[in-house]
Amino acid sequence: MRASELFMPTLKEDPADAEAVSHKLLVRGGFIRQFAAGIYMFLPLGWRVMERINDIIREEMNAIGAQELSMPTLHPAEVWKATGRYDAIGSEMFRLKDRNARDMVLAMTHEEAFAWLASRELRSYRELPQIWYQIQIKFRDEPRAKGGILRVREFLMKDSYSFDMDAEGLDVSYEMHARAYDRIFKRCGLTFYRVESDPGMMGGATAHEYMAPTPAGEDKVALCAGCGYAANVELAVSVAQAPEPYEEGTIPSDVVEVPTPECRTIDEVSQFLGVPPSSLIKSLLMMADGNKPVLALVRGDHELHEAKLVRHLKSDTRPAHPDEVIDALGVEVGFVGPVNLSDDIRVIADDSLRPGGVGGERPYVTGANKAHTHLCGVIVGRDFSPEFADLREARSGDTCLRCGAALSVEQVLEIGNIFKLGTKYSKPLKATVLDESGTERPIVMGSYGIGPARISAAAVEQHYDEKGIVWPKSIAPFDVHIVQIKSEDEVQTKVAQSLHNLLAQEGFTCLWDDRPERPGVKFKDAELIGCPVRLTVGKKAGERVVEVEARAGGERLEVPLERVVAKVSRLWEEAP
RNA sequence: CGGGACGUGGCGCAGCCUGGUAGCGCAUCUGCUUUGGGAGCAGAGGGUCGGAGGUUCAAAUCCUCUCGUCCCGACCA
């Protein structure tokens, strides 16, 4: 492809509204353009990358027997009402009415549509199992789009759905997907983890997320190098480090009220009293469903992970407003504590505070439920008796519950997920088949998603340098970038043209920069766009010599024309 | 939904505080020169300053409202 015929609007400067590396580089490189908040256009280069990713996805999905089809994105609301999600999902779903005032939605995902189709067309166990997939637009009215194409409101997704007779069948479909996903992300050149993920409020089902480590990610995962345990911090279990020792005499072993004027935060109390944060108990008043106050306790140096509390309570929660704290406890935020509370406030403490836990039975400092006052010498189990649960967010330095090795916590971007649905959608939509005995049984489903645009963004986040993108070779927009120094030089044109054709015959896609630009402009663009191999056709073209160089680094070599194909092939093999 | 910031030629920005003829760099167009790392010189075109209302003799500038975009937090089926 000639660059002079390619719509490739590159920019010298970073766009003003970009923060993430992938956002800046993809806009500058002419891959994407923003249309509205969280809505992007894919330009020719960007679309080529997407198509290469989609091709890899298709190959691997087809390899496990999945069948591609295409579903509508505009749905009648009825199916969503049937599964209860029309009401359960809030403003994240785009809703509209057609001309006859019929409720419609833009699909956020396609469980309903696939289950609906299955309910109409699948009759017998003989037709199972099935795996159907599509690569289709999804709409989610994110409260806050961000990071370029990292978090958007309209996006392409490969979603597949498996249909099995029973849980054993689902296990097989699930495993096939897991292996296919491993291959897809590996082929796309990503570093990634498969981690246990929160199956949501439905319980029972299992789910995994595929996560690409990058600081631009929005999730955190806990990883064990010892045994391979890997889980989203939303549910990662771990053993906290023991609390720091406190200085003898700073905390009594019996409960004592101490004045702590204006000391509301852990840091302030810790400094004022001269005790380490890990000797404090952080008391957080949360409101559960029905506005029932719940006091959640974690050690002063720990953070509450709200999703864990939600799972434990089986109820949504939110932090209490300051006036609700006063209503419930009679004291302002900052001096709240678990001792001598009325029975109608449920108190839940993190496992690390168990008397038999990492800290042992030891005195802590807590709020006194009295203004500008804390209690010292509070012993869990003696002075108050909470229920216990895993509430705190796992962090680096914790030890693995399984093997005792140190856990690390990393920032990651979710690039895919796999989920055992069971009969959550097949039952309400009556997707049933007859089994061998003639009994009607709901189909057991799984759903499996991949975000191709997130793969591309993650690839950029993981592979770039100060000059631009360094695409993994499997998903680069072109394999070889031919830079012709002088576009009007006939010898160079002939050489470039013949190299382009020769490499094309060998199966390489080439971008031939024949534009009447100065050399510097072309080099900068080539580096920005990041194709794996660069050829430079310049002043030695007349001597039948060109330069070959890998984008990822290494030497720039002068190569005679007849050896170019071999050299390019070798660099290609070596490219990441 | 809470907090913060920003909207000025295609892109990146200054001007606003202290009201008085709309500016800079890049890009674009023309000509000449240049041609291995985002060229030089000369010239040209292009903006009712996000929108509405208000104050004023006069508003990019001050006030009110509104829309859009970004960042932090909350949310994320």
Side-chain angles (χ1 to χ4, degrees), chain A residues 128-129 162-176 204-206 419-423 426 441-446 448:
Chain A
L128 301 186
S162 62
F163 305 89
D164 284 282
M165 275 306 293
D166 49 32
E168 290 70 40
L170 173 57
D171 289 344
V172 173
S173 296
Y174 191 84
E175 255 321 297
M176 287 199 301
T206 59
F419 199 110
K420 291 186 184 178
L421 296 173
T423 57
S426 52
R441 292 169 55 179
I443 298 173
V444 180
M445 292 176 59
Y448 317 87

Side-chain angles (χ1 to χ4, degrees), chain A residues 108 120 245 271 532:
Chain A
M108 306 174 61
R120 314 264 308 194
Q271 281 189 11

Side-chain angles (χ1 to χ4, degrees), chain A residues 303-376:
Chain A
E303 295 299 327
L304 171 72
H305 200 300
E306 211 176 318
K308 290 185 169 182
L309 181 64
V310 167
R311 226 172 10 254
H312 179 74
L313 293 173
K314 297 183 176 60
S315 149
D316 267 339
T317 65
R318 61 172 174 81
H321 302 304
D323 48 330
E324 288 172 329
V325 173
I326 292 172
D327 282 351
L329 304 171
V331 68
E332 64 172 302
V333 176
F335 307 100
V336 169
V339 181
N340 289 330
L341 284 184
S342 72
D343 289 343
D344 53 339
I345 296 179
R346 197 167 161 188
V347 180
I348 307 168
D350 180 63
D351 287 329
S352 62
L353 292 170
R354 282 179 191 272
V358 285
E361 191 176 288
R362 72 200 317 267
Y364 285 99
V365 176
T366 76
N369 292 325
K370 189 169 157 188
H372 306 285
T373 310
H374 278 76
L375 297 179
C376 288

Side-chain angles (χ1 to χ4, degrees), chain A residues 143-212:
Chain A
R144 192 177 145 219
K146 64 184 287 194
I149 56 175
L150 291 177
R151 182 179 170 110
V152 289
R153 300 194 295 165
E154 176 189 318
F155 59 100
L156 207 58
M157 185 177 191
K158 186 290 299 178
D159 49 326
S160 47
Y161 303 83
S162 62
F163 305 89
D164 284 282
M165 275 306 293
D166 49 32
E168 290 70 40
L170 173 57
D171 289 344
V172 173
S173 296
Y174 191 84
E175 255 321 297
M176 287 199 301
H177 273 88
R179 287 201 299 273
Y181 276 33
D182 286 342
R183 286 192 293 269
I184 288 165
F185 297 124
K186 186 160 189 290
R187 285 181 62 184
C188 288
L190 296 182
T191 302
F192 65 96
Y193 311 116
R194 182 173 74 175
V195 309
E196 293 174 21
S197 72
D198 186 355
M201 298 238 300
M202 300 310 292
T206 59
H208 289 84
E209 288 165 328
Y210 283 78
M211 300 294 210

Side-chain angles (χ1 to χ4, degrees), chain A residues 237-424:
Chain A
V237 289
S238 63
V239 179
Q241 289 178 309
E244 292 170 60
Y246 57 92
E247 216 173 298
E248 199 66 41
T250 52
I251 307 179
S253 53
D254 287 312
V255 180
V256 179
E257 267 191 19
V258 289
T260 49
E262 304 298 334
C263 295
R264 292 177 176 80
T265 66
I266 293 293
D267 277 348
E268 286 164 358
V269 176
S270 162
Q271 281 189 11
F272 183 79
L273 295 177
V275 300
S278 55
S279 287
L280 272 57
I281 294 176
K282 196 187 287 185
S283 307
L284 300 159
L285 191 71
M286 308 293 289
M287 303 302 273
D289 273 352
N291 282 335
K292 289 194 288 277
V294 173
L295 194 67
L297 307 179
V298 294
R299 221 166 67 193
D301 58 326
H302 291 157
E303 295 299 327
L304 171 72
H305 200 300
E306 211 176 318
K308 290 185 169 182
L309 181 64
V310 167
R311 226 172 10 254
H312 179 74
L313 293 173
K314 297 183 176 60
S315 149
D316 267 339
T317 65
R318 61 172 174 81
H321 302 304
D323 48 330
E324 288 172 329
V325 173
I326 292 172
D327 282 351
L329 304 171
V331 68
E332 64 172 302
V333 176
F335 307 100
V336 169
V339 181
N340 289 330
L341 284 184
S342 72
D343 289 343
D344 53 339
I345 296 179
R346 197 167 161 188
V347 180
I348 307 168
D350 180 63
D351 287 329
S352 62
L353 292 170
R354 282 179 191 272
V358 285
E361 191 176 288
R362 72 200 317 267
Y364 285 99
V365 176
T366 76
N369 292 325
K370 189 169 157 188
H372 306 285
T373 310
H374 278 76
L375 297 179
C376 288
V378 172
I379 291 181
V380 182
R382 182 191 72 184
D383 301 315
F384 69 100
S385 297
E387 55 183 287
F388 291 95
D390 176 29
L391 295 183
R392 64 175 231 295
E393 182 172 318
R395 64 179 184 196
S396 291
D398 289 354
T399 51
C400 177
L401 203 59
R402 290 187 193 167
C403 76
L407 288 181
S408 63
V409 170
E410 281 191 53
Q411 200 74 35
V412 294
L413 175 69
E414 182 182 354
I415 47 177
N417 56 51
I418 54 179
F419 199 110
K420 291 186 184 178
L421 296 173
T423 57
K424 182 179 171 188

Side-chain angles (χ1 to χ4, degrees), chain A residues 442-469:
Chain A
I443 298 173
V444 180
M445 292 176 59
S447 80
Y448 317 87
I450 290 181
R454 281 199 170 177
I455 291 181
S456 68
V460 175
E461 296 283 346
Q462 292 183 352
H463 305 283
Y464 72 94
D465 60 21
E466 69 286 350
K467 295 172 183 169
I469 302 170

